[in-house]
Amino acid sequence: MIEYIIFLVGGYLVGSIPTAYLVVKARKGIDIRKKGSGNVGAYNAYDTTHSRLLGILVGLFDVLKGFIATYFSWKLFGADVWMQILALIGAIVGHNYPVWLRFHGGRGLSTAAGGYFALGFAHIIVWCLIWGITFPFSKKILRANLYAIILSPIIILLLPDSIIAATMVQNIDPLDFKLLVYIVSTLHILSHFDVIKKYFLPHKKTM
């Protein structure tokens, strides 16, 4: 049991490195938490600095956090699948709620994608397809994100195990992978609660 906790905490420490905050602060002298949406992630890095290069750079760093936490749990420590899964979950939680920034972080999409590169691609593929279909209608990146977050686990649940197995990087039971997808999607919903309130919950009219 203690080993699983170690991988969860280790993943958290990797994920909690506040890449968007550090990069934007170093390059522009801006505290990203006080600009734009206040989100400490790639999209707000771009939105705040108007620099595609910085946005892409932050996004790549965030992907790398998820990949490192998951892949090296396997390669360096020979961790079993659930240790790797816990490392990835820890990395996403660390990215979203970093202790170094008083638990004010990002949304975890890029970090999750990085972990999936080490485990399997099914969720990434389904998520991107849904995003590509819904974005032209929603016209908002964050709204399309939310549609993909909500719909992708439903699609994953309905997919035959053989299709999920065909997209695996490692030999993971499709049922374990589906459970991971639901955990990750729940974390994404929590990190997008401000988007839910903005676009989908009724606003009280002020007199």
Side-chain angles (χ1 to χ4, degrees):
M1 184 63 182
I2 187 66
E3 290 112 340
Y4 292 96
I5 296 174
I6 289 172
F7 278 93
L8 181 66
V9 173
Y12 176 88
L13 292 175
V14 172
S16 68
I17 299 170
T19 46
Y21 174 84
L22 294 173
V23 169
V24 174
K25 191 75 171 177
R27 298 292 296 178
K28 299 293 184 178
I30 297 172
D31 185 343
I32 194 174
R33 297 171 297 174
K34 299 177 181 178
K35 298 292 183 178
S37 67
N39 184 264
V40 187
Y43 180 68
N44 198 39
Y46 162 72
D47 197 37
T48 297
T49 64
H50 306 292
S51 168
R52 290 185 179 179
L53 178 61
L54 283 184
I56 293 171
L57 186 62
V58 169
L60 289 175
F61 279 141
D62 289 344
V63 168
L64 195 59
K65 290 192 296 186
F67 181 79
I68 287 173
T70 310
Y71 181 79
F72 286 99
S73 295
W74 171 39
K75 281 297 183 181
L76 294 183
F77 303 106
D80 67 32
V81 166
W82 270 101
M83 287 180 182
Q84 296 173 62
I85 288 173
L86 286 173
L88 174 56
I89 292 170
I92 297 169
V93 173
H95 175 80
N96 293 357
Y97 311 102
V99 64
W100 324 112
L101 298 182
R102 297 182 180 180
F103 307 103
H104 187 134
R107 301 190 191 279
L109 295 173
S110 297
T111 303
Y116 282 135
F117 281 124
L119 294 172
F121 296 99
H123 195 189
I124 294 177
I125 294 170
V126 171
W127 197 96
C128 289
L129 286 173
I130 295 172
W131 194 94
I133 292 169
T134 58
F135 177 71
F137 301 98
S138 64
K139 302 296 184 181
K140 299 288 185 180
I141 290 176
L142 293 177
R143 187 182 290 181
N145 285 354
L146 195 56
Y147 287 139
I149 290 167
I150 293 171
L151 295 175
S152 59
I154 298 173
I155 302 299
I156 291 290
L157 179 64
L158 297 175
L159 283 178
D161 289 352
S162 58
I163 293 179
I164 293 177
T167 64
M168 289 295 100
V169 176
Q170 298 189 48
N171 185 23
I172 302 175
D173 188 303
L175 183 60
D176 288 338
F177 187 81
K178 289 178 181 180
L179 182 55
L180 170 62
V181 168
Y182 272 84
I183 295 172
V184 169
S185 297
T186 299
L187 292 174
H188 288 339
I189 289 172
L190 292 175
S191 69
H192 282 74
F193 191 67
D194 59 324
V195 182
I196 295 172
K197 289 196 297 184
K198 180 177 180 180
Y199 291 118
F200 297 97
L201 296 181
H203 297 281
K204 291 182 179 180
K205 294 182 178 181
T206 56
M207 298 300 290

